Amino acid sequence: MKFSLKCIVIIAFAITASASVEPGPRPRALIDSLPVSALKSRLEKCGDGPFKASDFVIAHRGAPLGYPEHTRQGYIAAAKMGAGLIECDVTFTRDGHLVCRHSQCDLHRTTNILKTPVARNCTEPFTPASSTQPAKAKCCTSDITVAEFKSLCGRADFANPQARSISAYLPNRIRKVDTPDLICPTLLTHKESIDLIGKLGRKYVPELKAPMVKMPFNGMTQNQYADRLIQAYLDTNTNLSDVYPQSFNITDIKYWIETYPEIAHQVVYLDPRGRSPDFKPTLAGMRHLYALGLRILAPPIPMLVRLNGDEIVPTAYARLAQQAGLKLIAWTFESGEATDPKNWLYYPVRSAIKIEADMLRVLEVLERDVGIIGLFTDWAGTVTYYNACSQQQKGLKH
């Protein structure tokens, strides 16, 4: 059997991924661009490491800043950069297998399905743009079998709404970081993700994605869907202390806490309530979540930081959650351009984000003042670098 040089490099990278951690050049480039400040001075002192994998660093969909999301290659890259936990967004195929996808119906954007015969099974075939309508398509994991799913290749989540052809609809996207060219990034089933993450020596963050089809689906109820996610770890003899199941659906959260008390303290509620303009956090509300048995609350970044004049400070939500005894995880760091006015993840502190590196100021407040225990990130290296630096300097103070 012959292997190309590229294959040998990829295999060697996979084997050594759990043994060494290297955050790469991106965090150093961001730090270099910071204006002179105490934060810049502090971070500059940590360039030589040492860098270790940390549970503080949670790989969001793998490493989608440079690799197609939820692919084997992205998971390996995230582990190499120091992610201690790796996320698999869990959804299901037509024949009931669990697979890793951010949305049940994103295959037309995140894979090459439209360029394959499998496209005939899509809920909505590709329709080219017209003078009055954008191009569109809708391809779901529930449209296809697991074998058909595994025949697809991953790609960056980007489509051109003005396209008149499939080739134009799925252009090659310019990557934000320099990563290897991949011929066919490998999609993962949930069980394959468990095997890979275990071999990489990392922990698991499976998210039960909201079904985009009517439930029950082919006889599977919502609770059975939630059970299948947990059962996959039991079937593989995975240490449940390494599993942090999560959902935006509070009903799923309650079900897991009641049904699997051995991991109730690890269930993560991805809190969507802040997207509602009428939501007002209260101590009573936070204590109610704690009384349900919840211990980890995961809101988006804008629910945790705000501006006080020119200073970035914690929100009332952050203070009340901590007061109620809830641990906090934030999402998502390095998701989109921090300076993009349309990036809602920074809207409460928009005027403070003048350059891309200013997101490091947000990270500092989240870690130091909000007291988060973990941060989802699209590029683990940056958070790994920051966290290693923070831990080093805390050690020096003691």
Side-chain angles (χ1 to χ4, degrees):
M1 183 179 294
K2 294 182 179 180
F3 292 94
S4 68
L5 179 59
K6 179 177 282 189
C7 288
I8 293 171
V9 169
I10 291 172
I11 292 169
F13 180 57
I15 292 171
T16 61
S18 62
S20 62
V21 168
E22 172 49 55
R26 179 168 171 78
R28 296 170 178 87
L30 289 169
I31 294 163
D32 287 344
S33 68
L34 280 171
V36 175
S37 62
L39 175 61
K40 178 170 184 168
S41 177
R42 181 165 70 86
L43 294 177
E44 284 178 329
K45 296 175 182 177
C46 306
D48 294 330
F51 301 107
K52 300 178 181 179
S54 168
D55 289 355
F56 184 83
V57 187
I58 307 173
H60 180 241
R61 314 185 206 176
L65 208 64
Y67 296 81
E69 63 189 47
H70 291 308
T71 59
R72 178 180 180 83
Q73 293 82 358
Y75 283 21
I76 291 171
K80 179 72 173 177
M81 288 187 286
L85 296 96
I86 298 176
E87 178 192 46
C88 167
D89 289 315
V90 178
T91 186
F92 50 84
T93 60
R94 189 178 69 210
D95 49 354
H97 289 265
L98 302 185
V99 297
C100 301
R101 282 290 92 196
H102 181 248
S103 168
Q104 189 171 57
C105 294
D106 70 5
L107 295 180
H108 54 286
R109 295 171 55 93
T110 64
T111 76
N112 66 335
I113 188 171
L114 292 177
K115 296 181 178 181
T116 76
V118 183
R120 64 180 177 269
N121 297 324
C122 290
T123 298
E124 296 180 17
F126 173 75
T127 303
S130 68
S131 58
T132 58
Q133 296 290 333
K136 63 178 182 178
K138 184 178 181 182
C139 302
C140 308
T141 59
S142 50
D143 293 334
I144 63 177
T145 66
V146 69
E148 290 169 328
F149 175 82
K150 286 296 297 178
S151 74
L152 304 176
C153 303
R155 66 177 303 278
D157 184 2
F158 180 74
N160 175 14
Q162 305 305 316
R164 300 297 181 99
S165 68
I166 291 175
S167 295
Y169 184 68
L170 300 175
N172 291 325
R173 191 179 188 186
I174 297 174
R175 291 166 296 198
K176 199 169 182 180
V177 294
D178 184 22
T179 53
D181 291 319
L182 302 171
I183 296 173
C184 182
T186 309
L187 302 189
L188 295 168
T189 67
H190 181 215
K191 286 188 177 180
E192 287 174 335
S193 81
I194 294 173
D195 180 66
L196 175 60
I197 294 169
K199 288 178 178 176
L200 291 169
R202 304 302 191 251
K203 298 178 183 179
Y204 313 83
V205 188
E207 178 185 336
L208 194 73
K209 299 304 295 187
M212 299 182 74
V213 291
K214 186 178 180 180
M215 300 293 280
F217 178 78
N218 289 344
M220 180 176 66
T221 66
Q222 182 69 23
N223 284 350
Q224 288 171 334
Y225 175 33
D227 284 331
R228 287 189 186 184
L229 182 148
I230 302 298
Q231 189 62 43
Y233 295 95
L234 297 173
D235 289 345
T236 53
N237 296 315
T238 301
N239 188 340
L240 289 183
S241 65
D242 292 338
V243 182
Y244 293 80
Q246 58 181 5
S247 176
F248 281 98
N249 185 342
I250 191 63
T251 302
D252 295 334
I253 298 298
K254 293 176 181 177
Y255 178 76
W256 278 331
I257 289 173
E258 293 169 359
T259 309
Y260 303 97
E262 65 272 32
I263 58 168
H265 62 291
Q266 294 164 213
V267 172
V268 180
Y269 178 36
L270 296 163
D271 193 351
R273 298 174 298 167
R275 301 302 295 272
S276 168
D278 298 326
F279 173 67
K280 301 294 181 185
T282 65
L283 182 58
M286 296 296 183
R287 285 177 171 165
H288 173 70
L289 291 175
Y290 190 92
L292 292 176
L294 183 72
R295 294 297 178 266
I296 306 176
L297 190 58
I301 291 172
M303 292 176 70
L304 296 174
V305 294
R306 64 178 180 86
L307 281 181
N308 181 19
D310 294 330
E311 184 182 7
I312 302 171
V313 298
T315 61
Y317 177 103
R319 175 176 53 81
L320 294 171
Q322 296 279 25
Q323 191 174 343
L326 294 166
K327 298 175 182 177
L328 292 169
I329 291 173
W331 50 272
T332 301
F333 198 67
E334 298 223 60
S335 182
E337 295 282 348
T339 54
D340 183 354
K342 296 181 181 179
N343 189 340
W344 67 276
L345 288 167
Y346 295 97
Y347 73 76
V349 294
R350 171 60 52 217
S351 62
I353 306 296
K354 296 180 172 61
I355 59 174
E356 190 77 357
D358 281 332
M359 63 184 172
L360 293 170
R361 297 173 55 205
V362 176
L363 174 51
E364 181 181 40
V365 174
L366 289 170
E367 184 266 338
R368 182 192 64 195
D369 301 327
V370 174
I372 60 172
I373 64 168
L375 180 62
F376 282 94
T377 177
D378 280 3
W379 196 247
T382 306
V383 183
T384 292
Y385 184 107
Y386 177 92
N387 183 63
C389 194
S390 178
Q391 295 306 311
Q392 288 175 36
Q393 289 163 4
K394 287 178 181 177
L396 290 174
K397 289 180 181 179
H398 290 87

